[in-house]
Structure formats: structure tokens, C-alpha cells
Amino acid sequence: MLEATKLIVAVKNIETPDERHAFEHASLDVVNLPGITIARTVYQPGWKWSTDVKPVVGTEACQAAHTGYIISGRLHARMDDGREYDFGPGDAHVVSAGHDAWVEGDEPCVVLDLAFTGRALAGHVGRCPCGVEFRVASDDQVAQLVVAIREHARSSHGHELTTQQVLAEVMA
């Protein structure tokens, strides 16, 4: 959270993002604001994490936690424990690390992902060299934080970060 004594106004338009990435079946636009990073991802019909992302990052499941909102389209998620969930327009959601996900139907799925980055929040924060921050709430989630940062750096920028490099940033 931002400090209550600071008056801050920051405005960025997602149509002119700080970062823009295009993939075969998805596109990603990112804006960084004080205390939060907002990413709009457009997943095309046929997109599936285990098909499109797993070969790049090399993990069995997505190791990033997501807090987001579905603008349009439909998404399906299968957790590592076998539970499955459907998301559609208007659904706000929190999905922990350890899942596969894919687009359901013939319509692109547009998702806003939120990553709270304010230092006043509890937990650990780590940052990709590009500046995108990741956060976990407790010490027992640091390993997931490291995997998420390494996955982001590899898939978004082609950077190979070591666990030691990421831990040095997280523990700083």
C-alpha cells in the first residue's frame, strides 16, 4: 500500500504501455505505476500455458501467482492438485502458482493482471532487471517468487537469471 501521508497521482494508458510483448498466441501490455504493475494480456483461441509457455520456461506448471480480472473471453485453469476452474467476463480472481490454463472457445480472452509492488506491503519483493516487480506474502513462498522472476526474465526478455542472482535482489 502507498503511505497515507503521500499524495500521489499517476496515470498511464494501457494503449501506450511501458512494455509491449507479442507472442505466437498472446500479446502483453504492461504499465508500471507507484505500488502496482498492471498487465493486459490478450490470449488468442488455442493458447494454452503448457503448449505455449512451458517449452520456453521449462517448468511443469505456471509458477506465477495471478490476481486479475477477465475483461472478455473465457479461460480455464487446472491446478496441480487437479481442481479445475472456469473464468469469464467480469470474474475477478486469485490463482496461486502451480497451474495450467487455456482459452476456452473461439473468442480471445482479455485479462488484466495486477501485481502490487508497494514496499509497505508485507512479504518479499523481487524485480526482473526490466523493472517488473513480483511479490509473495510469506517466507515459505520465496522459492515460488524466484521461479516466477526467472520465468518472466526468460520468457519476456530472453534473460537467463540464476537462482542466486534473483535471491540477491529479493533479500536486499
Side-chain angles (χ1 to χ4, degrees), residues 98-116:
H99 61 272
D100 191 5
W102 56 89
V103 172
E104 288 281 332
D106 298 329
E107 178 184 354
C109 185
V110 181
V111 179
L112 286 182
D113 258 320
L114 311 170
F116 299 96

Side-chain angles (χ1 to χ4, degrees), residues 3-135:
E3 295 177 36
T5 58
K6 287 187 179 180
L7 296 177
I8 296 176
V9 175
V11 178
K12 292 186 179 180
N13 191 300
I14 198 80
E15 298 302 328
T16 54
D18 296 322
E19 298 177 49
R20 177 169 278 152
H21 305 279
F23 307 99
E24 185 174 352
H25 294 112
S27 62
L28 175 70
D29 296 319
V30 179
V31 292
N32 298 298
L33 296 166
I36 191 166
T37 295
I38 302 171
R40 176 184 61 191
T41 307
V42 178
Y43 298 104
Q44 296 300 323
W47 177 87
K48 186 172 185 178
W49 188 93
S50 56
T51 304
D52 292 290
V53 182
K54 177 181 176 178
V56 176
V57 300
T59 59
E60 284 303 310
C62 179
Q63 295 302 308
H66 302 278
T67 299
Y69 177 80
I70 307 292
I71 295 172
S72 62
R74 302 207 58 82
L75 205 61
H76 186 87
R78 178 182 301 127
M79 305 304 293
D80 284 352
D81 68 4
R83 291 178 294 152
E84 297 193 25
Y85 301 92
D86 289 305
F87 305 96
D91 287 343
H93 59 274
V94 174
V95 177
S96 65
H99 61 272
D100 191 5
W102 56 89
V103 172
E104 288 281 332
D106 298 329
E107 178 184 354
C109 185
V110 181
V111 179
L112 286 182
D113 258 320
L114 311 170
F116 299 96
T117 59
R119 293 279 182 199
L121 295 173
H124 294 279
V125 174
R127 180 178 292 132
C128 175
C130 74
V132 172
E133 289 185 349
F134 295 81
R135 171 173 297 282

